[in-house]
């Protein structure tokens, strides 16, 4: 279950997201150099003939010389797309691309979406069978029942690579993990619980089969479909439902619920009433997983039975059953041992690992995301999807289960080393950013968007509100902003808060405040009034200064230098702080923080030390252990030069301060980042490549940041303005809406500001 029903957006915004930058959500990137003729000769003819012959002699070497071992096919025919039904193979492509993105984001698994234009199960079986040489695993998705059962079973029998229909087993694994913890909290034994399952589709049948494999007795499970209880002898029941039929006098869901310990719902909204919940056993366990609206909401269930434990598929309630907790890591573990299947033992191992993870002390980033409910208990029986420990815990458990059950072709010899390797696959920034977004949802803020007549800015403001981060305070001409909101597909433009500096009732208060501030700096009252009325950055800054907003973002229509000059007319740096800028360069496996890229032209030693300390703090907030390098053209005096003293003095200042992070300098970039070059300096205090780069001056910093953004192809966040008394962000004029939104969220969270 992966519904995010509390997230709102317009249809136009969704289409814009899928169309902007480049159509779709995935692309193919070469993993080897392709720059020279020699590169191309090795990649293709004639060099490619060598691995071809090797694979022909030993098929197992395909995992060594091709991407097969980290490549999963996401396959659908579009007969059961999310909650939309049978819309066809082509319509399922956006969903399958999305699944491919989740594989990569959470477990560094490469995947290709394949949409098959047929509803004939045998045709799908034959097509996928023919693809076996291309892939290391097969993820079936959004295929309706009962065909999905037939297809998955046949493929499991035919193929020697892992096959899993996630709609069935993903939900089953995550719900089973939650049930293990709910039973643990209520002192229940799986062998004794009485379970009612409402719904008899693919997911419900898989959930039922898995909990039975884990110890729930067949006779203790009552399954219902839209016609009532599935009992032995009932007419018109297919083989998949009849496998779960029992001998019972109950004929309705209401009858079956009496005295039940557990309710598993994968049916329809409102199927369960408060009266049914009242008749369940003490401390009832209710998994209402209908999508998008549960069979009964947690507040309704709690009102009927305050002692109940409730889980749903929604992110706006505690205990979300979210498939992304399982499938990326299940395939990760299966691929890493070259498993020939995903069997019951591996699924049970995944469920138990997820359950046990929820019982452990919760990391800071997960605690921040969950607000008050961040310790194991009634409202935290399932880990958060962005818990960074899932990768190593679940993948390792699955890999070990594959080995123990005899389906692993490449057993892992050192699991400690394997867990370290798993951690290195993912950039902790991604998890940290996710938790920051969730943290802001828990504590929404008012962010002033100073350039609301700009379409890019307004898109970001709309997303800021619709995604639940808080209230966007829009600055601009009222009618112009209103018209643009309408053009962007907003159905309720009047619901947005718009401030027009020409007519705002706040102007007298603003003029008084600013005149008192600037009257001894050469400004007359009429000058101040003109600034308030005509300068959007001054007006927006005053909204923040006077408490009408918590943070501010600008920069799309004026240069950074001009914008910060206007902001500084109203807002000061934090006491004892130096404003400066950070660019955050995000690659697949690492992040580098580059400072100061925007403000200080030639920082002195004390300023460089301050910038290093504050940037290290930001890096730590983003999930990284800081390793700071003070960059220069010189590495430890070679070559010598007249610009090195300030850098060396900055290092000496940190020596006296003894900060809680690694630092070193002066260093050329290769000595700071390349392990082979670093090895030439065994006395260096850095334990690994630097991830915080402190530049000697604004010229080199700004040039470097913009070069990396344009040439390296990595994701860039920034510039982030640090050190102001209020969170103010000045975006690059080339920013797109996601860039603006990210800066707004970071400002609201207090990380950038």
């Amino acid at each position: 279950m992966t519904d995010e029903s509390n997230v709102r957006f317009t249809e136009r915004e969704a289409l814009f997201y899928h169309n902007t930058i480049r159509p779709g959500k995935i692309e193919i990137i070469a993993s080897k150099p392709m720059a020279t003729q020699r590169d191309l000769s090795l990649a293709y003819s004639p060099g490619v003939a060598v691995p071809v012959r090797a694979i022909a002699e030993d098929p197992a070497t395909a995992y060594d010389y091709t991407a097969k071992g980290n490549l999963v096919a996401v396959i659908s025919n579009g007969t059961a797309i999310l909650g939309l039904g049978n819309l066809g193979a082509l319509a399922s492509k956006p969903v399958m691309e999305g699944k491919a993105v989740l594989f990569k984001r959470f477990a560094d698994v490469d995947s290709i979406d394949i949409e098959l234009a047929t509803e004939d199960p045998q045709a799908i079986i034959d097509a996928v069978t023919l693809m076996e040489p291309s892939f290391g695993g097969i993820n079936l998705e959004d295929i309706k029942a009962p065909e999905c059962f037939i297809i998955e079973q046949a493929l499991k029998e035919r193929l020697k690579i892992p096959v899993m229909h996630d709609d069935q087993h993903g939900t089953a694994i995550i719900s089973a993990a939650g049930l293990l913890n709910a039973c643990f909290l209520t002192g229940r034994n799986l062998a004794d619980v009485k379970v009612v399952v409402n719904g008899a589709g693919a997911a419900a049948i898989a959930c039922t089969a898995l909990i039975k494999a884990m110890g729930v007795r067949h006779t203790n499970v009552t399954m219902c479909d839209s016609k009532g209880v599935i009992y032995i002898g009932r007419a018109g029941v297919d083989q998949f439902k009849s496998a779960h039929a029992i001998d019972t006098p109950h004929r309705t869901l209401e009858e079956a619920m009496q005295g039940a310990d557990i309710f598993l719902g994968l049916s329809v909204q409102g199927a369960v009433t408060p009266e049914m919940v009242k008749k369940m056993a003490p401390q009832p366990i209710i998994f209402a997983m209908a999508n998008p609206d549960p069979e009964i909401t947690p507040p309704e269930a709690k009102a009927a039975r305050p002692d109940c434990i409730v889980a749903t598929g929604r992110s706006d309630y505690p205990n979300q059953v979210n498939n992304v907790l399982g499938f990326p890591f299940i395939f990760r573990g299966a691929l890493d041992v070259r498993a020939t299947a995903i069997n019951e033992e591996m699924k049970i191992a995944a469920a138990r690992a997820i359950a046990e993870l929820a019982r452990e002390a919760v990391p800071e980033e997960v605690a921040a995301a969950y607000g008050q409910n961040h310790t194991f208990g009634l409202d935290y029986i399932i880990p958060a999807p962005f818990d960074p420990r899932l990768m190593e815990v679940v993948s390792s458990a699955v890999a070990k289960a594959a080995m123990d059950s005899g389906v692993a072709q490449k057993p892992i010899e050192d699991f400690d080393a394997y867990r370290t390797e798993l951690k290195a696959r993912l950039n902790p920034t991604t998890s940290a950013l996710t938790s920051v977004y969730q943290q802001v949802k828990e504590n929404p803020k008012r962010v002033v968007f100073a350039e609301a007549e700009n379409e890019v800015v307004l898109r970001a403001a709309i997303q800021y509100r619709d995604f639940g981060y808080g209230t966007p305070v829009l600055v601009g001409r009222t009618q112009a902003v209103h018209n643009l909101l309408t053009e962007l597909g907003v159905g309720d433009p009047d619901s947005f808060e718009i401030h027009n500096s020409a007519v705002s009732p706040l102007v007298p208060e603003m003029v008084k405040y600013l005149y008192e501030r600037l009257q001894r700096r050469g400004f007359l009252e009429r000058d101040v009034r003109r600034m308030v009325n005509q300068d959007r950055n001054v007006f927006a800054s005053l909204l923040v200064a006077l408490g009408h907003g918590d943070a501010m973002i600008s920069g799309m229509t004026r240069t950074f230098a001009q914008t910060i000059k206007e902001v500084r007319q109203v807002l000061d740096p934090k006491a004892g702080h130096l404003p400066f800028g950070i660019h955050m360069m995000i690659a697949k496996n690492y992040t580098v923080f580059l400072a100061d890229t925007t403000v200080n032209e030639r920082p002195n030693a004390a300023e460089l030390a301050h910038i290093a300390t504050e940037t290290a703090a930001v890096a730590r907030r983003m999930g990284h252990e800081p390793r700071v390098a003070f960059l220069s053209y010189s590495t430890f005096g070679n070559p010598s030069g007249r610009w090195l003293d300030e850098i060396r003095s900055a290092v000496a200042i940190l020596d006296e301060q003894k900060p809680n992070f690694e630092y070193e300098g002066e260093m050329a970039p290769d000595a700071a980042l390349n392990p082979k070059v670093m090895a030439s300096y065994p006395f260096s205090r850095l334990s690994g490549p630097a991830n915080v780069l402190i530049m000697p001056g604004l010229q080199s910093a700004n040039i470097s940041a913009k070069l990396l953004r344009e040439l390296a192809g990595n994701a860039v966040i920034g510039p982030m303005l640090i050190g102001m008394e209020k969170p103010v962000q000045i975006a690059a004029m080339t920013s797109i809406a996601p860039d603006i939104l990210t800066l707004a969220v970071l400002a609201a969270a207090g990380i950038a500001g």
Side-chain angles (χ1 to χ4, degrees):
M1 309 296 289
T2 57
D3 175 63
E4 299 286 342
S5 299
N6 60 317
V7 176
R8 297 178 293 121
F9 47 81
T10 65
E11 290 187 5
R12 181 183 176 119
E13 194 65 33
L15 293 175
F16 180 82
Y17 171 86
H18 285 82
N19 177 258
T20 191
I21 304 176
R22 59 190 298 161
K25 298 188 287 288
I26 61 175
E27 65 177 317
I28 303 296
I29 298 176
S31 61
K32 300 293 189 294
M34 294 289 172
T36 67
Q37 182 61 44
R38 179 178 176 79
D39 294 337
L40 296 177
S41 296
L42 288 168
Y44 197 54
S45 181
V48 75
V50 179
V52 167
R53 288 192 292 267
I55 293 169
E57 292 177 11
D58 180 4
T61 60
Y63 288 89
D64 300 318
Y65 303 128
T66 75
K68 177 181 174 73
N70 195 51
L71 191 60
V72 169
V74 179
I75 295 175
S76 180
N77 67 348
T79 52
I81 304 174
L82 300 176
L84 303 174
N86 185 351
L87 298 181
L90 186 59
S92 74
K93 188 170 179 63
V95 181
M96 300 310 116
E97 285 186 356
K99 195 65 177 282
V101 170
L102 294 179
F103 266 117
K104 190 67 177 177
R105 157 65 176 83
F106 285 97
D108 193 28
V109 171
D110 296 318
S111 61
I112 299 293
D113 64 294
I114 297 174
E115 293 74 35
L116 299 175
T118 179
E119 294 188 22
D120 180 357
Q122 192 58 51
I124 295 175
I125 293 165
D126 292 341
V128 177
T129 299
L130 293 173
M131 297 178 198
E132 182 178 15
S134 298
F135 299 100
I138 303 293
N139 183 99
L140 301 173
E141 193 82 11
D142 288 358
I143 301 173
K144 69 182 177 70
E147 288 89 339
C148 61
F149 304 123
I150 299 168
I151 293 166
E152 184 187 45
Q153 185 58 40
L155 290 175
K156 284 184 173 181
E157 294 170 359
R158 288 192 182 194
L159 305 185
K160 296 300 182 184
I161 58 176
V163 177
M164 188 174 85
H165 183 213
D166 186 48
D167 298 310
Q168 296 180 57
H169 307 296
T171 303
I173 290 164
I174 310 310
S175 61
L179 286 178
L180 285 172
N181 280 338
C183 289
F184 177 85
L185 288 168
T186 57
R188 288 179 165 96
N189 189 312
L190 286 181
D192 302 323
V193 295
K194 293 183 179 180
V195 182
V196 175
V197 180
N198 195 48
I205 289 175
C207 288
T208 305
L210 185 61
I211 62 173
K212 287 179 179 178
M214 295 174 69
V216 176
R217 286 185 285 183
H218 170 77
T219 54
N220 280 2
V221 181
T222 303
M223 179 176 285
C224 304
D225 61 11
S226 59
K227 297 179 181 178
V229 172
I230 299 171
Y231 56 89
I232 294 174
R234 199 185 100 175
V237 177
D238 64 35
Q239 60 178 317
F240 305 105
K241 294 181 182 181
S242 65
H244 300 286
I246 62 170
D247 185 8
T248 175
H250 298 149
R251 294 295 181 265
T252 67
L253 173 63
E254 185 174 7
E255 292 173 358
M257 289 281 280
Q258 295 186 34
D261 297 292
I262 297 170
F263 170 80
L264 285 181
L266 291 129
S267 53
V268 295
Q269 177 185 9
V272 173
T273 66
E275 288 69 28
M276 293 181 189
V277 173
K278 289 177 182 178
K279 295 178 181 178
M280 293 180 72
Q283 294 183 286
I285 299 167
I286 301 166
F287 277 44
M289 298 178 286
N291 187 3
D293 297 302
E295 286 82 358
I296 186 170
T297 66
E300 291 171 332
K302 293 278 189 180
R305 289 292 296 273
D307 62 339
C308 69
I309 297 177
V310 189
T312 71
R314 292 175 51 141
S315 62
D316 51 342
Y317 294 126
N319 300 326
Q320 184 193 14
V321 178
N322 191 327
N323 286 16
V324 82
L325 287 160
F327 72 83
F329 316 112
I330 293 165
F331 273 95
R332 176 78 274 153
L335 291 170
D336 289 341
V337 295
R338 297 183 190 172
T340 57
I342 293 174
N343 55 29
E344 290 300 298
E345 291 88 345
M346 295 161 73
K347 288 184 279 187
I348 292 172
R352 294 193 183 282
I354 293 167
E356 290 168 6
L357 181 60
R359 301 179 195 179
E360 295 181 7
V362 179
E364 180 182 351
E365 58 266 38
V366 178
Y370 261 69
Q372 297 300 313
N373 303 318
H374 54 75
T375 56
F376 180 59
L378 304 184
D379 289 332
Y380 187 84
I381 59 173
I382 301 172
F386 42 83
D387 191 320
R389 302 169 298 174
L390 283 163
M391 175 72 144
E392 57 178 303
V393 171
V394 180
S395 302
S396 298
V398 170
K400 187 174 188 308
M403 292 163 54
D404 294 343
S405 60
V407 298
Q409 299 180 96
K410 185 188 176 184
I412 292 169
E413 296 180 0
D414 185 341
F415 267 90
D416 289 336
Y418 176 55
R419 291 187 185 95
T420 300
E421 177 187 325
L422 288 171
K423 288 181 183 178
R425 277 187 171 273
L426 295 182
N427 189 336
T429 303
T430 54
S431 292
L433 280 173
T434 303
S435 67
V436 167
Y437 274 74
Q438 191 65 27
Q439 178 185 343
V440 174
K441 280 188 177 183
E442 297 289 334
N443 187 25
K445 296 292 179 64
R446 292 169 56 85
V447 172
V448 179
F449 291 80
E451 301 158 308
E453 293 181 41
N454 179 281
E455 181 177 332
V456 172
V457 173
L458 195 55
R459 284 187 183 279
I462 293 167
Q463 293 173 356
Y464 185 84
R465 187 186 80 164
D466 288 352
F467 292 173
Y469 304 129
T471 301
V473 180
L474 308 180
V475 174
R477 293 170 297 166
T478 307
Q479 194 59 48
V481 176
H482 191 281
N483 291 345
L484 187 53
L485 285 168
T486 302
E487 289 177 20
L488 293 177
V490 174
D492 56 347
D494 291 332
S495 66
F496 279 81
E497 182 179 338
I498 303 173
H499 289 261
N500 184 343
S501 61
V503 297
S504 173
L506 300 174
V507 167
E509 179 188 10
M510 290 179 170
V511 171
K512 181 176 183 296
Y513 177 90
L514 190 57
Y515 181 56
E516 289 178 357
R517 174 180 169 83
L518 299 180
Q519 60 190 353
R520 294 183 180 276
R521 302 184 197 178
F523 289 88
L524 301 175
E525 186 172 1
R526 64 171 180 266
D527 301 324
V528 170
R529 183 175 300 278
R530 176 180 48 77
M531 291 165 59
V532 173
N533 286 143
Q534 299 180 12
D535 192 314
R536 64 175 65 92
N537 288 320
V538 169
F539 182 82
S541 301
L542 284 162
L543 285 173
V544 176
L546 295 174
H548 302 289
D550 300 304
M552 167 190 164
I553 188 158
S554 187
M556 286 294 293
T557 60
R558 299 180 187 179
T559 65
F560 188 99
Q562 183 180 358
T563 303
I564 195 170
K565 180 180 178 181
E566 292 161 355
V567 170
R568 288 289 299 270
Q569 299 281 23
V570 181
L571 300 172
D572 291 324
K574 289 180 185 176
H577 283 252
L578 174 77
F580 68 95
I582 298 174
H583 275 78
M584 190 159 57
M585 310 291 180
I586 305 173
K588 188 181 89 168
N589 302 110
Y590 64 91
T591 296
V592 173
F593 300 82
L594 191 64
D596 167 23
T597 56
T598 57
V599 180
N600 301 286
E601 186 171 0
R602 178 61 70 175
N604 61 34
E607 290 169 340
L608 286 171
H610 178 84
I611 291 168
T613 301
E614 293 299 308
T615 307
V618 172
R620 187 164 276 141
R621 285 287 305 273
M622 299 309 298
H624 299 266
E625 191 57 37
R627 292 187 297 275
V628 176
F630 290 87
L631 293 191
S632 172
Y633 60 85
S634 170
T635 300
F636 303 121
N638 184 20
S640 59
R642 64 192 182 97
W643 298 108
L644 304 180
D645 289 344
E646 294 292 349
I647 300 173
R648 292 172 179 172
S649 297
V651 174
I653 290 171
L654 292 185
D655 288 341
E656 294 178 3
Q657 294 176 348
K658 295 181 171 52
N660 62 345
F661 56 83
E662 297 179 15
Y663 59 94
E664 188 57 281
E666 77 279 4
M667 309 175 77
D670 55 351
L673 298 171
N674 189 321
K676 291 182 180 179
V677 179
M678 292 179 72
S680 301
Y681 304 96
F683 55 84
S684 172
R685 292 178 283 193
L686 297 183
S687 61
N691 53 18
V692 174
L693 305 180
I694 305 303
M695 307 296 283
L698 181 58
Q699 185 175 22
S700 57
N702 195 266
I703 290 172
S704 297
K706 290 180 178 177
L707 276 174
L708 287 170
R709 182 175 62 204
E710 297 300 327
L711 300 179
N714 295 332
V716 177
I717 294 178
M720 298 188 298
L721 181 59
I722 307 296
M724 294 295 290
E725 63 177 336
K726 299 284 186 179
V728 176
Q729 289 308 311
I730 303 172
M733 296 177 72
T734 55
S735 298
I736 59 177
D739 302 331
I740 304 293
L741 178 63
T742 298
L743 285 175
V745 172
L746 289 173
I751 291 176

